[in-house]
Amino acid sequence: MTDAPEDIDASAHEAHGGGLGSRLNWLRAAVLGANDGVVSTAGLVVGVAGATESQAALLTAGLAGLLAGSMSMAAGEYVSVSTQRDSEEAALAQEKRELREDPEAELAELTGLLAARGLSADVAREAAEQLTERDALRAHARVELGIDPDRLTIPWHAAAASFLAFTVGALLPLLAIVLPPASARLWVTVVSVLAALTFTGWWSARLGEAPAGRAILRNVAGGALAMAVTYGAGSLLGATGI
Ligand SMILES: [Zn+2]
Protein backbone atom coordinates (compact mmCIF):
# COMPACT_ATOMS: atom_id res chain seq x y z
CA MET A 1 0.00 0.00 0.00
CA THR A 2 1.29 3.45 -0.89
CA ASP A 3 0.97 6.63 1.15
CA ALA A 4 -0.82 8.48 -1.61
CA PRO A 5 -4.43 8.02 -0.46
CA GLU A 6 -3.60 9.16 3.09
CA ASP A 7 -1.84 12.30 1.84
CA ILE A 8 -4.65 13.26 -0.51
CA ASP A 9 -7.12 12.63 2.25
CA ALA A 10 -5.25 14.96 4.60
CA SER A 11 -4.86 17.80 2.12
CA ALA A 12 -8.52 17.63 1.13
CA HIS A 13 -9.41 17.81 4.78
CA GLU A 14 -7.24 20.87 5.36
CA ALA A 15 -8.43 22.62 2.22
CA HIS A 16 -12.01 22.50 3.44
CA GLY A 17 -11.34 24.14 6.77
CA GLY A 18 -10.87 21.13 9.03
CA GLY A 19 -7.95 20.75 11.44
CA LEU A 20 -6.02 23.97 11.88
CA GLY A 21 -8.59 25.95 9.89
CA SER A 22 -11.49 24.95 12.10
CA ARG A 23 -9.47 25.58 15.27
CA LEU A 24 -8.77 29.09 13.98
CA ASN A 25 -12.46 29.59 13.23
CA TRP A 26 -13.37 28.59 16.75
CA LEU A 27 -10.77 30.91 18.22
CA ARG A 28 -11.95 33.78 16.03
CA ALA A 29 -15.57 33.15 17.09
CA ALA A 30 -14.48 33.14 20.74
CA VAL A 31 -12.65 36.46 20.43
CA LEU A 32 -15.62 38.03 18.61
CA GLY A 33 -18.04 36.66 21.21
CA ALA A 34 -15.96 38.09 24.06
CA ASN A 35 -15.69 41.42 22.22
CA ASP A 36 -19.48 41.47 21.88
CA GLY A 37 -19.87 40.81 25.60
CA VAL A 38 -17.51 43.66 26.47
CA VAL A 39 -19.14 46.25 24.18
CA SER A 40 -22.81 45.50 24.80
CA THR A 41 -22.48 45.14 28.57
CA ALA A 42 -20.25 48.21 28.84
CA GLY A 43 -22.81 50.24 26.87
CA LEU A 44 -25.54 48.98 29.16
CA VAL A 45 -23.90 49.65 32.53
CA VAL A 46 -22.38 52.99 31.49
CA GLY A 47 -25.84 54.07 30.28
CA VAL A 48 -27.40 53.12 33.62
CA ALA A 49 -24.52 54.86 35.44
CA GLY A 50 -25.43 58.03 33.54
CA ALA A 51 -28.89 57.89 35.09
CA THR A 52 -28.35 56.61 38.61
CA GLU A 53 -25.72 56.03 41.30
CA SER A 54 -27.55 53.00 42.67
CA GLN A 55 -25.22 50.02 42.85
CA ALA A 56 -28.18 47.65 42.92
CA ALA A 57 -29.47 49.11 39.66
CA LEU A 58 -26.04 48.79 38.05
CA LEU A 59 -25.64 45.20 39.20
CA THR A 60 -29.15 44.28 38.02
CA ALA A 61 -28.68 45.91 34.62
CA GLY A 62 -25.21 44.39 34.12
CA LEU A 63 -26.25 40.91 35.18
CA ALA A 64 -29.43 40.98 33.10
CA GLY A 65 -27.39 42.21 30.12
CA LEU A 66 -24.82 39.45 30.61
CA LEU A 67 -27.45 36.70 30.79
CA ALA A 68 -29.62 38.05 27.97
CA GLY A 69 -26.64 38.52 25.69
CA SER A 70 -24.99 35.19 26.37
CA MET A 71 -28.25 33.26 25.99
CA SER A 72 -29.13 35.08 22.82
CA MET A 73 -25.67 34.31 21.39
CA ALA A 74 -25.97 30.66 22.43
CA ALA A 75 -29.46 30.30 20.94
CA GLY A 76 -28.38 31.93 17.67
CA GLU A 77 -25.33 29.68 17.44
CA TYR A 78 -27.40 26.58 18.24
CA VAL A 79 -29.86 27.35 15.48
CA SER A 80 -27.21 28.13 12.89
CA VAL A 81 -25.01 25.11 13.65
CA SER A 82 -28.08 22.81 13.75
CA THR A 83 -29.09 24.01 10.31
CA GLN A 84 -25.56 23.50 8.99
CA ARG A 85 -25.47 20.04 10.51
CA ASP A 86 -28.84 19.13 8.99
CA SER A 87 -27.58 20.04 5.54
CA GLU A 88 -24.32 18.12 6.10
CA GLU A 89 -26.27 15.04 7.17
CA ALA A 90 -28.58 15.36 4.17
CA ALA A 91 -25.55 15.57 1.87
CA LEU A 92 -24.02 12.49 3.51
CA ALA A 93 -27.29 10.56 3.14
CA GLN A 94 -27.46 11.47 -0.54
CA GLU A 95 -23.84 10.42 -1.02
CA LYS A 96 -24.60 7.08 0.65
CA ARG A 97 -27.56 6.56 -1.69
CA GLU A 98 -25.49 7.38 -4.76
CA LEU A 99 -22.73 5.00 -3.66
CA ARG A 100 -25.28 2.21 -3.28
CA GLU A 101 -27.11 2.90 -6.52
CA ASP A 102 -24.23 3.69 -8.85
CA PRO A 103 -20.85 2.73 -7.40
CA GLU A 104 -19.13 2.86 -10.82
CA ALA A 105 -20.15 6.47 -11.45
CA GLU A 106 -19.07 7.38 -7.91
CA LEU A 107 -15.65 5.78 -8.44
CA ALA A 108 -15.27 7.74 -11.67
CA GLU A 109 -16.33 10.91 -9.86
CA LEU A 110 -13.78 10.38 -7.08
CA THR A 111 -11.09 9.64 -9.67
CA GLY A 112 -11.92 12.90 -11.44
CA LEU A 113 -11.80 14.90 -8.20
CA LEU A 114 -8.41 13.42 -7.27
CA ALA A 115 -7.06 14.07 -10.77
CA ALA A 116 -8.26 17.67 -10.45
CA ARG A 117 -6.05 17.92 -7.37
CA GLY A 118 -3.04 17.23 -9.54
CA LEU A 119 -2.69 13.45 -9.73
CA SER A 120 -2.08 11.69 -13.02
CA ALA A 121 -5.04 9.67 -14.31
CA ASP A 122 -3.47 6.32 -13.33
CA VAL A 123 -2.53 7.36 -9.81
CA ALA A 124 -5.91 9.05 -9.31
CA ARG A 125 -7.69 5.86 -10.33
CA GLU A 126 -5.50 3.77 -8.04
CA ALA A 127 -6.00 6.17 -5.13
CA ALA A 128 -9.77 6.33 -5.71
CA GLU A 129 -9.98 2.53 -5.71
CA GLN A 130 -8.03 2.24 -2.46
CA LEU A 131 -10.04 4.98 -0.76
CA THR A 132 -13.29 3.41 -1.93
CA GLU A 133 -12.24 0.01 -0.67
CA ARG A 134 -11.27 1.35 2.72
CA ASP A 135 -14.28 3.61 3.36
CA ALA A 136 -16.11 4.92 0.32
CA LEU A 137 -18.51 7.22 2.16
CA ARG A 138 -15.72 8.82 4.16
CA ALA A 139 -13.64 9.38 1.03
CA HIS A 140 -16.53 11.08 -0.79
CA ALA A 141 -17.42 13.12 2.29
CA ARG A 142 -13.91 14.47 2.55
CA VAL A 143 -12.86 14.88 -1.06
CA GLU A 144 -16.22 15.82 -2.55
CA LEU A 145 -18.12 17.54 0.27
CA GLY A 146 -15.17 18.75 2.35
CA ILE A 147 -16.61 17.39 5.60
CA ASP A 148 -15.37 14.79 8.05
CA PRO A 149 -18.33 12.51 8.86
CA ASP A 150 -16.78 11.67 12.25
CA ARG A 151 -16.31 15.29 13.26
CA LEU A 152 -19.50 17.17 12.44
CA THR A 153 -19.94 20.20 14.69
CA ILE A 154 -22.19 19.45 17.65
CA PRO A 155 -24.76 22.28 17.96
CA TRP A 156 -24.77 22.48 21.74
CA HIS A 157 -20.96 22.56 21.88
CA ALA A 158 -21.00 25.63 19.64
CA ALA A 159 -23.80 27.12 21.75
CA ALA A 160 -21.88 26.57 25.00
CA ALA A 161 -18.72 28.11 23.52
CA SER A 162 -20.65 31.24 22.47
CA PHE A 163 -22.30 31.48 25.86
CA LEU A 164 -18.93 31.23 27.60
CA ALA A 165 -17.14 33.69 25.32
CA PHE A 166 -19.82 36.36 25.72
CA THR A 167 -19.95 35.82 29.51
CA VAL A 168 -16.18 36.23 29.89
CA GLY A 169 -16.33 39.50 27.94
CA ALA A 170 -19.41 40.79 29.81
CA LEU A 171 -17.90 40.11 33.24
CA LEU A 172 -15.25 42.79 32.73
CA PRO A 173 -17.52 45.88 32.49
CA LEU A 174 -19.90 44.37 35.04
CA LEU A 175 -17.18 44.01 37.69
CA ALA A 176 -15.54 47.30 36.70
CA ILE A 177 -18.75 49.25 37.30
CA VAL A 178 -19.85 47.44 40.47
CA LEU A 179 -16.65 46.99 42.47
CA PRO A 180 -14.94 50.44 42.62
CA PRO A 181 -16.28 53.31 44.80
CA ALA A 182 -18.97 55.44 43.16
CA SER A 183 -16.64 58.33 42.34
CA ALA A 184 -14.24 56.12 40.35
CA ARG A 185 -16.55 53.52 38.77
CA LEU A 186 -17.14 55.31 35.48
CA TRP A 187 -13.48 55.89 34.68
CA VAL A 188 -12.39 52.48 35.85
CA THR A 189 -14.99 50.99 33.51
CA VAL A 190 -14.13 53.17 30.52
CA VAL A 191 -10.38 52.59 30.86
CA SER A 192 -10.62 48.83 31.40
CA VAL A 193 -13.13 48.44 28.55
CA LEU A 194 -10.93 50.36 26.11
CA ALA A 195 -7.92 48.31 27.22
CA ALA A 196 -9.86 45.08 26.68
CA LEU A 197 -11.01 46.23 23.24
CA THR A 198 -7.41 47.05 22.33
CA PHE A 199 -6.52 43.49 23.22
CA THR A 200 -9.42 41.80 21.39
CA GLY A 201 -8.86 44.06 18.36
CA TRP A 202 -5.20 43.11 18.26
CA TRP A 203 -5.96 39.43 18.73
CA SER A 204 -8.63 39.19 16.04
CA ALA A 205 -6.37 41.08 13.62
CA ARG A 206 -3.60 38.60 14.38
CA LEU A 207 -5.91 35.62 13.82
CA GLY A 208 -7.05 37.12 10.52
CA GLU A 209 -3.47 38.07 9.59
CA ALA A 210 -4.59 41.67 9.06
CA PRO A 211 -2.66 44.81 10.08
CA ALA A 212 -3.30 45.34 13.81
CA GLY A 213 -3.24 49.14 14.03
CA ARG A 214 -6.43 49.91 12.13
CA ALA A 215 -8.27 46.90 13.60
CA ILE A 216 -7.49 48.10 17.12
CA LEU A 217 -8.51 51.66 16.30
CA ARG A 218 -11.85 50.58 14.80
CA ASN A 219 -12.58 48.28 17.71
CA VAL A 220 -11.73 50.85 20.38
CA ALA A 221 -13.64 53.60 18.54
CA GLY A 222 -16.73 51.37 18.29
CA GLY A 223 -16.70 50.65 22.01
CA ALA A 224 -16.05 54.29 22.93
CA LEU A 225 -18.93 55.41 20.72
CA ALA A 226 -21.28 52.83 22.28
CA MET A 227 -20.42 54.03 25.79
CA ALA A 228 -20.67 57.73 24.85
CA VAL A 229 -24.10 57.26 23.28
CA THR A 230 -25.59 55.21 26.13
CA TYR A 231 -24.03 57.49 28.76
CA GLY A 232 -25.57 60.50 27.01
CA ALA A 233 -28.97 58.78 26.87
CA GLY A 234 -28.71 57.69 30.51
CA SER A 235 -27.70 61.20 31.66
CA LEU A 236 -30.62 62.80 29.83
CA LEU A 237 -33.03 60.29 31.32
CA GLY A 238 -31.48 60.71 34.79
CA ALA A 239 -31.76 64.49 34.57
CA THR A 240 -35.50 64.29 33.95
CA GLY A 241 -35.82 62.58 37.33
CA ILE A 242 -37.93 59.66 36.09
ZN1 LIG B 1 -19.76 11.11 -4.55
Side-chain angles (χ1 to χ4, degrees):
M1 180 179 290
T2 69
D3 283 344
E6 202 62 74
D7 288 342
I8 289 152
D9 214 26
S11 72
H13 182 49
E14 214 174 79
H16 286 280
L20 182 65
S22 88
R23 259 200 307 280
L24 267 177
N25 283 341
W26 276 81
L27 209 54
R28 204 170 296 155
V31 176
L32 288 178
N35 199 76
D36 239 13
V38 172
V39 174
S40 67
T41 311
L44 194 58
V45 294
V46 165
V48 175
T52 176
E53 298 217 317
S54 159
Q55 200 187 27
L58 287 167
L59 182 61
T60 307
L63 205 57
L66 180 154
L67 289 171
S70 55
M71 287 195 289
S72 143
M73 292 271 295
E77 194 65 16
Y78 186 87
V79 169
S80 110
V81 172
S82 296
T83 305
Q84 184 195 334
R85 195 177 163 121
D86 286 349
S87 63
E88 285 173 349
E89 277 168 355
L92 283 174
Q94 190 192 342
E95 204 60 45
K96 207 179 214 167
R97 202 166 48 241
E98 287 172 3
L99 281 166
R100 196 178 50 229
E101 287 169 0
D102 199 351
E104 264 313 308
E106 286 299 302
L107 181 62
E109 179 190 47
L110 188 58
T111 303
L113 287 166
L114 293 173
R117 287 177 190 280
L119 296 184
S120 71
D122 286 353
V123 177
R125 179 76 187 187
E126 167 84 19
E129 278 169 1
Q130 286 192 18
L131 285 169
T132 300
E133 203 169 307
R134 198 188 303 168
D135 189 342
L137 181 61
R138 193 181 165 84
H140 281 260
R142 287 184 144 189
V143 178
E144 187 183 341
L145 307 172
I147 55 182
D148 184 341
D150 299 329
R151 287 177 54 194
L152 299 183
T153 309
I154 298 167
W156 79 262
H157 282 182
S162 287
F163 182 92
L164 210 68
F166 187 97
T167 298
V168 167
L171 275 175
L172 177 92
L174 175 59
L175 296 176
I177 204 96
V178 169
L179 294 182
S183 59
R185 63 167 62 120
L186 199 59
W187 291 113
V188 170
T189 304
V190 169
V191 169
S192 51
V193 162
L194 296 184
L197 294 180
T198 302
F199 178 67
T200 52
W202 170 80
W203 202 6
S204 64
R206 240 195 65 156
L207 290 173
E209 287 171 14
R214 265 177 297 168
I216 291 172
L217 206 64
R218 275 195 289 262
N219 205 35
V220 169
L225 183 67
M227 288 189 288
V229 168
T230 59
Y231 185 75
S235 300
L236 284 176
L237 214 64
T240 66
I242 296 172

